[in-house]
Amino acid sequence: MLPYSSLDHIRIVLSHTSHSGNIGAAARAMKTMGLRSLYLINPRLFPDKEADARAANAGDILELAKVCTGLDEALENTVLTAAITARSRELSHDVFDARQGAHELLRYAQQQPVALLFGRENSGLTTAEVSKCQIIIHIPANPQYPSLNLASAVQIMSYELRMALTENAAPTAIRPSASFNELESLYAHLEELMIASDFLDPQKPKLLMQRVRRLFSRARLEKEEVQILRGILTALGKRW
């Protein structure tokens, strides 16, 4: 019997979806592979009849979908988020193909929530959105025409997650990871001290905080490690 609880810890997050039909089609793709958790960030139109029609018998996924006003709300309490993107980035995180990325996500989804973040139909994810993720997943496609329909991308990743689950009946246990909320608090604390110490000019930040985020994304900090770093920052902050 498959450990469905691992799939229950996986969120499909759609950011600023323009066409409600894509939301319905994504819900159908999720249900066929056993995924149930759908988060929508500022969809242009939802609920909508077109979404219901495209969802077919996956209307329950739409009924349980959580509509969020921002990315932070959608990623609350997750411990790992994958940006699904085909675009190369100046400051790239660890990059996995769809199959490798599915295995990586399931490692963390044993007991804690993880997320897959999909961007707008016409432009994909923004640099700011990718900076909030810890890894990038690239779906291999024809280099002459790599553009995938949103629902198709969700279907591919849902399939890879299910296949990874069947291949890893007893995944390796990992220590409790820092949540999205804890990491965001760490970044805010660190940025505050960097400004106070004149290490960071808020008027000319350049790419410094993006580089910091990339550094810690590679480290995959545990809860206890974040607590240690926050303690160090608090002690240093007393000097300013």
Side-chain angles (χ1 to χ4, degrees):
M1 183 176 179
L2 293 175
Y4 285 106
S5 59
S6 295
L7 293 181
D8 289 343
H9 287 150
I10 296 173
R11 298 178 189 175
I12 298 296
V13 182
L14 308 183
S15 179
H16 295 80
T17 309
S18 299
H19 305 289
S20 60
N22 285 332
I23 297 175
R28 182 175 183 177
M30 291 169 59
K31 188 167 184 177
T32 60
M33 296 299 156
L35 295 167
R36 301 190 297 182
S37 185
L38 177 61
Y39 283 62
L40 306 172
I41 303 172
N42 290 324
R44 189 179 69 83
L45 188 61
F46 184 83
D48 183 63
K49 292 181 179 179
E50 181 65 18
D52 295 337
R54 293 286 299 279
N57 292 321
D60 54 326
I61 304 292
L62 297 182
E63 291 175 5
L64 294 173
K66 182 174 181 180
V67 179
C68 305
T69 58
L71 181 57
D72 287 10
E73 181 184 357
L75 299 185
E76 186 175 9
N77 295 321
T78 57
V79 297
L80 184 69
T81 299
I84 313 301
T85 179
R87 291 170 51 197
S88 59
R89 307 282 171 164
E90 182 177 355
L91 293 177
S92 180
H93 300 59
D94 289 339
V95 180
F96 298 83
D97 65 28
R99 190 150 299 172
Q100 296 167 334
H103 283 277
E104 186 71 2
L105 285 162
L106 281 178
R107 284 183 60 226
Y108 287 83
Q110 296 172 56
Q111 298 178 344
Q112 299 167 289
V114 302
L116 290 82
L117 178 61
F118 297 81
R120 299 156 177 78
E121 293 98 330
N122 61 345
S123 59
L125 294 170
T126 67
T127 298
E129 287 173 326
V130 173
S131 73
K132 298 268 186 172
C133 303
Q134 289 76 50
I135 64 174
I136 285 176
I137 292 180
H138 168 67
I139 298 175
N142 179 0
Q144 276 72 50
Y145 189 66
S147 178
L148 276 170
N149 171 270
L150 175 59
S152 297
V154 172
Q155 183 72 80
I156 289 170
M157 288 309 308
S158 298
Y159 169 80
E160 291 293 351
L161 285 163
R162 187 168 185 82
M163 291 303 296
L165 187 63
T166 62
E167 294 167 7
N168 292 281
T172 305
I174 61 174
R175 292 175 60 83
S177 302
S179 70
F180 172 80
N181 312 59
E182 291 165 336
L183 288 173
E184 288 300 305
S185 295
L186 171 64
Y187 296 143
H189 195 169
L190 182 58
E191 184 175 17
E192 178 184 338
L193 284 185
M194 291 164 68
I195 292 172
S197 64
D198 294 327
F199 185 80
L200 170 63
D201 182 353
Q203 302 303 316
K204 299 178 181 179
K206 297 184 179 180
L207 298 176
L208 184 55
M209 284 308 301
Q210 287 187 41
R211 293 182 183 279
V212 168
R213 284 177 175 272
R214 184 180 63 163
L215 186 158
F216 285 121
S217 292
R218 290 200 303 267
R220 308 283 176 81
L221 294 174
E222 299 172 2
K223 282 182 175 289
E224 190 173 331
E225 293 169 337
V226 169
Q227 292 170 358
I228 291 171
L229 289 171
R230 292 294 302 277
I232 293 172
L233 294 177
T234 298
L236 291 174
K238 294 176 180 178
R239 295 177 175 270
W240 285 284

